[in-house]
Amino acid sequence: MASLSDQEIEQLAIAAVDARGRAYAPYSHFDVGAAILTNDGQLISGCNVENASFSLAICAERVAASAAVAAGYREWKAVAIASAGGVAPCGACRQFLAEFGLDLAIILVNLNDGSRRVCLLSQLLPDSFGGADLPS
Ligand SMILES: [Zn+2]
């Protein structure tokens, strides 16, 4: 795992909590914020965005990841995800994030008790499928 300083973890957690404050979740009422730390020190955040057509909802992690790519950042050190309960990314988000590297540190920020869990994406998505599995 790329080493993360306590300061980076704190900075990411704050950014994820801040992004969570902008979540649009009128249906589930489950607000989630995510913040990505790029390898060159940029912080890019996202929040979940729901829709009356439920299947169009998009998770905070994929919003942040898409924003990072759109801003020109494809190499990431870590992503923090803030929610009540400190839930781990859904399967779709694990796969989406894995496109940009399985060695991504994941920080799960639990707003219920303030705890944080740090792990690697490779731990959350073992035996993953990726571009190398496709014919060249
Ligand atoms: Zn998701």
Side-chain angles (χ1 to χ4, degrees):
M1 177 185 324
S3 63
L4 285 174
S5 69
D6 289 344
Q7 182 182 359
E8 286 174 321
I9 292 173
E10 183 63 21
Q11 187 180 30
L12 273 164
I14 289 169
V17 171
D18 185 56
R20 181 178 178 269
R22 295 186 291 279
Y24 178 73
Y27 306 105
S28 73
H29 305 288
F30 189 69
D31 295 346
V32 181
I36 289 174
L37 176 64
T38 69
N39 280 2
D40 40 3
Q42 298 296 312
L43 269 178
I44 299 177
S45 62
C47 60
N48 55 331
V49 181
E50 295 182 347
N51 192 280
S53 179
F54 293 167
S55 66
L56 297 180
I58 184 166
C59 303
E61 300 92 319
R62 280 180 283 147
V63 171
S66 298
V69 171
Y73 301 102
R74 296 180 184 171
E75 295 182 357
W76 310 329
K77 195 170 183 181
V79 57
I81 301 151
S83 69
V87 298
C90 76
C93 286
R94 294 177 198 203
Q95 180 66 39
F96 200 87
L97 293 169
E99 181 73 17
F100 302 95
L102 286 164
D103 60 345
L104 183 69
I106 308 282
I107 303 159
L108 303 173
V109 181
N110 183 345
L111 296 170
N112 290 346
D113 62 8
S115 66
R116 292 160 193 180
R117 175 182 160 210
V118 181
C119 60
L120 278 177
L121 181 57
S122 59
Q123 295 171 299
L124 298 179
L125 191 66
D127 299 322
S128 65
F129 172 83
D133 296 312
L134 297 172
S136 53

